[in-house]
Amino acid sequence: MSAAVAGETYSVYGTRAADAAAAAIAARVGHETPVAAVVLGSGLGGLAEQIERTATIPFRDIPGFPAATVAGHAGALIVGRLDGRVVLALAGRFHMYEGHDVRLAAFPARVVHALGARTLIVSNAAGGVNRTFGSGDLMLIRDHINLTFRNPLAGRLEPGDVRFPDMSSPYDPELADVARTIAREQGTVLREGVYAALLGPAYETPAEVRMLATLGADAVGMSTVPEVIVARALGMRVLGISCITNLACGLANSPITHAEVLDATKHAAHRFASLVRGVVSRL
Ligand code: HPA
């Protein structure tokens, strides 16, 4: 998608749009450089309650952000301090399964980068493909498989982007080590694995889940990958945490419901918040 400004075309969800969104946010909250931005997945918004808030900006007030989100997503950017350190938290995200463009799904990463964040912490609710995982487990995302077949970088090269970004280390090994250390200190079991992103919104079939296991996936979900791709193209460090909310289809005898997914995050939300808070304190 593109729009014309003074005879020039630019991407609606590109660098210039992100700069405009960041300017609007900075006009409300001032110019303090955040140590990190955290994308809060379905049901994991509790961390936002622990932030000493400077501002809560509804997505609809941010230029370029549409207002619509699904149940479990509050749809606001929270600016504030976590243990004294400035952070941004995105409560809610734009999913491709809602019909959103993949570039919009990734747009928040551009905006937080424009606000000065150089570390992106992404989280999500995911189905467990690895049979050793249980509902409520936290999984450190070591790598991902993009099965959405969409890429937010496709199209004109945005100013500041790398055309062919290296993806050999999408998730930062040092940040992963910090997360492992914090989890150990907190007595939290931290699983590790590969996150496969599918478009959704239908959950997977049992045959698809068998395929995902064959491909090397440990968890499956419908988000995260667009933001991570853009963050890497911009040179940000990324930490990813999945909350395993259910066994993926065919691995358990019950159908999957969104209510079950949200319920499982409730049990993990506290561990998740403590883990992220611990990581932020070491940045
Ligand atoms: N599949 C895809 N996305 C999900 C799942 C799942 O089983 N659980 C939570 N998000």
Side-chain angles (χ1 to χ4, degrees):
M1 213 185 289
S2 65
V5 164
E8 199 185 324
T9 61
Y10 71 99
S11 167
V12 170
Y13 305 124
T15 308
R16 288 175 58 169
D19 287 344
I25 294 162
R28 275 175 76 155
V29 300
H31 285 276
E32 274 189 305
T33 306
V35 295
V38 189
V39 181
L40 299 168
S42 297
L44 298 173
L47 177 69
E49 306 310 318
Q50 300 184 16
I51 295 173
E52 212 181 293
R53 297 183 186 211
T54 307
T56 302
I57 307 175
F59 282 172
R60 65 175 173 276
D61 291 352
I62 300 175
F65 279 38
T69 57
V70 292
H73 297 261
L77 171 72
I78 293 135
V79 185
R81 289 174 184 274
L82 206 48
D83 300 318
R85 330 205 69 190
V86 178
V87 293
L88 306 171
L90 290 142
R93 50 156 64 96
F94 306 111
H95 298 93
M96 292 176 281
Y97 64 70
E98 294 171 279
H100 294 307
D101 192 288
V102 61
R103 284 166 294 187
L104 172 60
F107 186 57
R110 290 197 186 279
V111 175
V112 297
H113 180 268
L115 285 165
R118 294 296 175 263
T119 295
L120 184 68
I121 302 176
V122 287
S123 65
N124 56 52
V129 173
N130 185 320
R131 287 169 180 274
T132 68
F133 292 177
S135 168
D137 278 354
L138 296 180
M139 184 192 89
L140 177 70
I141 304 177
R142 241 192 285 153
D143 202 347
H144 71 226
I145 306 175
N146 182 4
L147 293 171
T148 69
F149 303 109
R150 288 155 198 221
N151 193 302
L153 304 177
R156 208 192 75 161
L157 181 64
E158 285 296 319
D161 278 13
V162 176
R163 176 73 295 185
F164 300 110
D166 171 62
M167 290 296 273
S168 57
S169 253
Y171 300 87
D172 189 80
E174 277 177 29
L175 278 179
D177 264 345
V178 173
R180 288 184 190 105
T181 302
I182 300 285
R184 209 178 310 120
E185 287 172 6
Q186 295 180 343
T188 289
V189 175
L190 189 58
R191 311 282 189 184
E192 298 196 16
V194 173
Y195 175 84
L198 275 66
L199 183 62
Y203 290 118
E204 303 69 39
T205 66
E208 286 163 350
V209 171
R210 287 195 296 275
M211 173 193 76
L212 294 171
T214 303
L215 293 179
D218 297 287
V220 57
M222 307 172 189
S223 68
T224 305
V225 162
E227 299 101 295
V228 172
I229 291 172
V230 159
R232 291 303 298 140
L234 292 169
M236 297 178 81
R237 304 200 301 163
V238 179
L239 173 71
I241 307 283
S242 288
C243 173
I244 306 298
T245 54
N246 56 279
L247 288 181
C249 186
L251 302 183
N253 290 326
S254 53
I256 303 163
T257 64
H258 187 56
E260 172 197 4
V261 166
L262 290 182
D263 193 53
T265 56
K266 273 190 211 137
H267 300 293
H270 180 71
R271 272 175 288 130
F272 167 78
S274 301
L275 177 63
V276 171
R277 195 167 173 166
V279 170
V280 167
S281 74
R282 306 267 166 107
L283 289 176

